[in-house]
Amino acid sequence: MQLSGAQILVQSLKAEGVEYVFGYPGGAVLEIYDALFQLNKFQHILVRHEQAAVHAADAYARTSGKVGVALVTSGPGATNAITGIATAYTDSIPMVIISGQVATPMIGSDAFQEIDMVGISRPCVKHNFLVTDIAELAVTIKKAFQIAQSGRPGPVVVDVAKDVTQATAKFSYPQEEVFIRSYQPVTQGHAGQMKKAVQMLAAAKRPLVYFGGGVTLGNASAELTDFVQTLGVPCTATLMGLGAYPSSNRQFLGMLGMHGTYEANLAMQNADVIVAVGARFDDRVVSVPAKFAETPKKIIHIDIDPSVISKRVKADVPIVGDVKHVLAEMLAIWKKQSLMFNSSHLEKWWQTIEHWRSRDCLWFEPKSDVILPQQVVQTLARVTNNDAIITSDVGQHQMFAAQYYPFERPRQWLNSGGLGTMGVGLPYAMGAYLADPSKDVCCITGEGSIQMNIQELSTCFQYKLPVKVICLNNGYLGMVRQWQELYYSNRESETYFDSLPDFVKLAEAYGHVGMRIHKPEDVEGALKEALALKDRFVFLDFITDQKQNVFPMVGNGKGLYEMVLPPHMRETKADSDVNDVNDRDYDIRSVP
Ligand SMILES: Cc1cc2nc3c(=O)[nH]c(=O)nc-3n(C[C@H](O)[C@H](O)[C@H](O)COP(=O)(O)OP(=O)(O)OC[C@H]3O[C@@H](n4cnc5c(N)ncnc54)[C@H](O)[C@@H]3O)c2cc1C
Ligand SMILES: Cc1ncc(C[n+]2csc(CCOP(=O)(O)OP(=O)(O)O)c2C)c(N)n1
Ligand SMILES: [Mg+2]
C-alpha cells in the first residue's frame, strides 16, 4: 500500500510501540500532524513550549525505561528543543526527537524557518539523521530507536524534510534489527578482566561499591543489590544512581560528591579498592583527581562506554560491558571461588564508617518561626511513605531532595544531573505521570526554576495531570547565593528576586489548586491535604528560610576530605572557618 511520508512516520512510531509523542506543530510538520490526526495511532501531548516537549519525553523514558519521543517543527521549534536534547544527552537518556525540515530543494537557501538541525544538534546527540529520501524514512526510524536504546543510551535526532513527508511510497517496517556496521556496542564483560577484578576485590581491606546512573539505565538494580549484600560491603551512589539500591538499607552510605554525606565522601576517599559501577567519576563526585589519588587505591571500573573509562580517574581493571551482565558474572565468580574478605579488616572498616556516620551530617534543628526546606522534603518523604516519584529542578532544593528523600527503587528520582537544567522539574513530572499514573508524582522546585517552564501549568490542566508542585520558595537563586556567601564575600549579585508572581493566584488562573504555607506547623497538614486531592494539580508555595545552605559541601579545588561541614558538626571542631574546614581527623591515614 502506498502511504505518504508523514503516514510512514506515524506507522513506524506505532511499530516501535510508541504510546506518547510530546510535541508542538508548525509549518514543516503540518503533514505529520495531519497524519497523526487521521491515523490516531498514539496520544499526542500538546505542550506549550518545545523545550518542555523534549523534557517530558525524556521523563517518560526515565520513568518507563522505554524510548521517549518528541516532535517539533523546523527553525525555532528545533532550536527550542536543543536544551532538552542536551539535557537528555548528558544524562544518557534514550530518546528519538523528530524535527521538521524545509523541503529538500530549499535546504541551504536561507528558507523561512530553516536551521541546520543536524549541525546545531551534533555536539549533543548520540547520533542524528537528515532524511531527504522517502525510501530511507522507515529504516531511519528503526535505526534511530535501535541506537537510542542500545549501548550507552542517548538522544537521536531525525530531521525530516517536508517534501519527504508529502511524497508517497510503499510502507514496510524492518522486523529485524538493522545491521549498523560502525556501531556494535560491547555488552559482555571480558572474562579475564572480571576474574582479575574479583580477586583484587577479595584482597581489599577497605572495599567500596560506588554506583551511578548506569545501574538504572541498565535495569541492573537487582544485580547490584545482590552483589552488595552478598559481599557485605558498603556502597554509595551518585546523584544519578539514587534509588538503584534501597536508601533505607544500612549498607548504603548515602550520596557522595559535592553535597554527599560525610561518611560516603570519607569512605570514597579512603577505600583501598573501589568498584565503580555505571558511574563516570564526574567532577562533582571526585572533585580534583589529584587529591582523590592522595590516598592510594585500586579502581575496578565497569562501564558500557569505553570512552568513559580512565577519562578522569585511571582504572586499574577496566571492564567494558553491560552492568547487568558484568555484576551477575562477577558475583558468580566470587561464589564459585568461595572468596571471602579478611573479616577483621572488613569489620574495622565498618567500624570506621559507623563512626563517620554517627556524626549525623544531615541532622538539622527545625525552627519554630520559619519553614526549613529540609523539613519540607523530610515530611514529604514521610507522608508519601518514601514511595512517590520525585522530580526536581536545579538548585538547593534539588540537593535537599537528594539528601532528605530516601529513594527506594530505581526510576523514582528524576533530575538533570549532567547539564543541570533549571526548568526540567514540571515537564519531568508530566512525563513521569503519563509513564506511571499509579504513583504520586511530586515536583520539588524553587521559585526560580519553576518560572523557566511555568507555561506547562496549562498543559497539566488540559490533560488533567494531578502533579503536586512543592515549591521551596526562598526568594533567591539559592544555590548561586550560597556560592556568593561562601566564596564571594556574600556579595549577592543578581540573585534576589525583587518581585515574584503570586503562585497561588497563578495556579488558580490556570485552573488548579494553589496553597501558600508560611508556618512550620502547617507543613505536614498541607502536604497531606494536597496529596488527598488525587485528581487535582496542586501548587504548594512553601515560604522557606531564605538563607539556608546545603551542607556538607566540597568546594572548588578541594578534596573529598575537605568538606565544609554543617554548623552542628563545626561546633565540635577548633577550626570552624567555613572556607577551610579540613576534616582529616578521621582520615584512615591517621587511624592505626
Ligand atoms: C547543582 C548540582 C549539584 C550536583 N552535586 C552532585 C553531588 O554532590 N554528587 C553527585 O554524585 N552528583 C552531583 N551532581 C550531578 C553531576 O553533575 C553528574 O550528573 C553525576 O554525578 C553523574 O552521575 P553518574 O556518574 O552516575 O553518571 P551518569 O551521567 O548517570 O552516567 C551513567 C554512566 O553509566 C554508563 N552506562 C549506561 N548504561 C550502562 C550499562 N547498561 N552498563 C554499564 N554502564 C552503563 C554510561 O556510559 C555512563 O558512564 C550535581 C548536579 C547539579 C546540577
Ligand atoms: C537554565 C539554567 N540557568 C542557570 C543555571 C544556574 N543555576 C543553578 S542553580 C540556580 C538557582 C536556582 O534557583 P531556584 O530555582 O530558586 O532554587 P534554589 O537554589 O533557590 O533552591 C541557578 C541560577 C542553571 N542551572 N540552569
Ligand atoms: Mg530559590
Side-chain angles (χ1 to χ4, degrees):
M1 198 180 38
Q2 295 279 314
L3 296 184
S4 71
Q7 290 169 333
I8 289 176
L9 181 63
V10 170
Q11 294 288 12
S12 301
L13 295 179
K14 177 72 189 162
E16 286 292 339
V18 170
E19 275 185 295
Y20 291 104
V21 170
F22 300 83
Y24 207 86
V29 287
L30 271 170
E31 303 292 335
I32 302 174
Y33 272 85
D34 196 41
L36 281 184
F37 184 90
Q38 293 197 23
L39 298 177
N40 196 20
K41 292 289 179 195
F42 39 73
Q43 191 171 358
H44 177 272
I45 304 292
L46 177 65
V47 295
R48 302 301 186 259
H49 189 293
E50 289 88 351
Q51 181 187 346
V54 183
H55 289 327
D58 164 338
Y60 174 86
R62 290 182 199 238
T63 310
S64 67
K66 299 180 199 160
V67 176
V69 182
L71 170 60
V72 299
T73 192
S74 67
T79 53
N80 274 352
I82 290 292
T83 299
I85 297 171
T87 304
Y89 177 67
T90 47
D91 289 343
S92 304
I93 306 302
M95 292 192 67
V96 171
I97 302 95
I98 294 157
S99 51
Q101 183 52 277
V102 300
T104 314
M106 307 283 282
I107 292 177
S109 71
D110 295 340
F112 175 63
Q113 296 194 326
E114 180 186 3
I115 194 80
D116 173 8
M117 183 56 163
V118 166
I120 207 168
S121 66
R122 183 166 289 126
C124 59
V125 289
K126 183 170 175 188
H127 198 64
N128 58 20
F129 298 94
L130 168 63
V131 185
T132 54
D133 177 357
I134 191 169
E136 294 294 320
L137 185 56
V139 73
T140 304
I141 298 293
K142 178 80 185 178
K143 282 185 193 168
F145 275 80
Q146 228 172 274
I147 293 170
Q149 60 194 319
S150 57
R152 180 180 185 172
V156 178
V157 163
V158 184
D159 199 29
V160 186
K162 182 161 178 171
D163 52 324
V164 170
T165 64
Q166 291 165 326
T168 54
K170 197 164 168 290
F171 173 61
S172 83
Y173 199 69
Q175 296 299 308
E176 305 291 320
E177 289 242 312
V178 180
F179 177 73
I180 308 171
R181 191 171 50 83
S182 54
Y183 176 70
Q184 303 292 326
V186 173
T187 54
Q188 309 281 311
H190 185 281
Q193 291 292 87
M194 288 190 289
K195 264 194 204 134
K196 198 167 147 190
V198 169
Q199 271 152 10
M200 179 181 277
L201 181 59
K205 293 180 179 168
R206 301 183 302 278
L208 179 71
V209 171
Y210 143 65
F211 64 92
V215 178
T216 301
L217 293 165
N219 298 313
S221 179
E223 287 76 7
L224 173 78
T225 307
D226 201 11
F227 186 84
V228 169
Q229 296 190 352
T230 306
L231 270 61
V233 290
C235 66
T236 176
T238 67
L239 182 72
M240 302 311 291
L242 290 173
Y245 185 92
S247 296
S248 54
N249 185 276
R250 282 302 281 178
Q251 281 170 253
F252 183 62
L253 310 184
M255 180 174 82
L256 85 169
M258 178 173 277
H259 293 297
T261 65
Y262 185 70
E263 54 271 31
N265 282 345
L266 290 186
M268 185 72 167
Q269 179 66 31
N270 291 298
D272 66 347
V273 179
I274 291 170
V275 189
V277 191
R280 53 187 178 79
F281 291 96
D282 187 83
D283 52 277
R284 298 247 153 168
V285 171
V286 289
S287 197
V288 187
K291 294 208 169 195
F292 181 56
E294 274 177 24
T295 327
K297 47 181 79 71
K298 298 276 182 218
I299 291 174
I300 298 161
H301 194 174
I302 309 167
D303 203 290
I304 202 154
D305 179 356
S307 79
V308 163
I309 292 178
S310 296
K311 186 179 244 173
R312 298 200 71 243
V313 168
K314 195 180 168 323
D316 296 279
V317 184
I319 304 175
V320 177
D322 183 355
V323 68
K324 195 176 179 72
H325 167 261
V326 175
L327 281 178
E329 199 55 33
M330 280 174 59
L331 187 58
I333 300 170
W334 180 276
K335 286 181 179 165
K336 197 166 156 213
Q337 298 190 355
S338 306
L339 294 172
M340 269 188 295
F341 291 109
N342 173 314
S343 59
S344 73
H345 284 146
L346 188 59
E347 204 174 303
K348 202 160 146 209
W349 179 223
W350 268 116
Q351 275 168 10
T352 309
I353 287 173
E354 289 305 348
H355 177 69
W356 291 330
R357 178 146 52 189
S358 71
R359 307 267 319 258
D360 208 358
C361 70
L362 296 181
W363 179 86
F364 65 93
E365 174 106 74
K367 293 189 178 175
S368 58
D369 55 340
V370 63
I371 297 172
L372 296 186
Q374 300 92 321
Q375 177 199 351
V376 178
V377 178
Q378 212 171 56
T379 311
L380 178 67
R382 196 171 60 246
V383 302
T384 55
N385 238 337
N386 302 350
D387 190 43
I389 295 178
I390 304 292
T391 75
S392 88
D393 265 299
V394 172
Q396 292 183 316
H397 60 273
Q398 175 191 21
M399 293 299 110
F400 289 133
Q403 293 177 328
Y404 291 93
Y405 199 105
F407 298 103
E408 297 293 333
R409 60 173 195 282
R411 305 191 183 281
Q412 191 188 352
W413 163 237
L414 283 69
N415 79 135
S416 166
L419 202 65
T421 308
M422 287 171 71
V424 295
L426 180 55
Y428 272 5
M430 291 162 32
Y433 177 78
L434 289 166
D436 186 358
S438 72
K439 298 288 182 199
D440 288 322
V441 178
C442 303
C443 163
I444 298 180
T445 184
E447 77 300 326
S449 295
I450 193 70
Q451 293 187 79
M452 287 218 176
N453 267 315
I454 193 85
Q455 76 287 345
E456 297 308 317
L457 287 174
S458 174
T459 313
C460 289
F461 186 73
Q462 180 173 344
Y463 297 96
K464 309 215 173 323
L465 308 178
V467 166
K468 309 296 182 271
V469 171
I470 318 287
C471 182
L472 302 180
N473 185 344
N474 53 14
Y476 275 98
L477 294 171
M479 184 53 94
V480 183
R481 187 207 55 74
Q482 170 166 347
W483 281 68
Q484 292 172 338
E485 178 187 328
L486 298 183
Y487 304 112
Y488 294 86
S489 306
N490 215 5
R491 287 185 295 277
E492 292 178 354
S493 176
E494 305 297 327
T495 41
Y496 179 67
F497 286 113
D498 273 323
S499 74
L500 284 170
D502 179 333
F503 288 114
V504 172
K505 280 193 187 150
L506 191 69
E508 288 168 357
Y510 277 106
H512 302 305
V513 178
M515 297 163 76
R516 182 167 301 110
I517 306 97
H518 288 276
K519 296 190 195 143
E521 64 269 28
D522 293 340
V523 169
E524 181 164 342
L527 286 169
K528 283 184 170 161
E529 191 183 329
L531 287 158
L533 297 172
K534 286 281 170 209
D535 302 331
R536 298 300 302 270
F537 180 108
V538 186
F539 194 116
L540 296 108
D541 189 23
F542 288 96
I543 308 303
T544 61
D545 190 353
Q546 297 202 306
K547 300 283 175 88
Q548 281 295 304
N549 287 334
V550 185
F551 294 123
M553 176 174 184
V554 181
N556 261 354
K558 298 286 181 181
L560 284 174
Y561 53 84
E562 295 174 298
M563 287 166 268
V564 180
L565 299 172
H568 73 278
M569 286 173 84
R570 259 178 258 158
E571 280 155 18
T572 62
K573 302 178 68 65
D575 178 5
S576 61
D577 177 359
V578 82
N579 283 331
D580 190 26
V581 178
N582 182 343
D583 199 271
R584 287 175 187 252
D585 302 15
Y586 299 101
D587 187 326
I588 209 91
R589 285 171 298 189
S590 61
V591 177

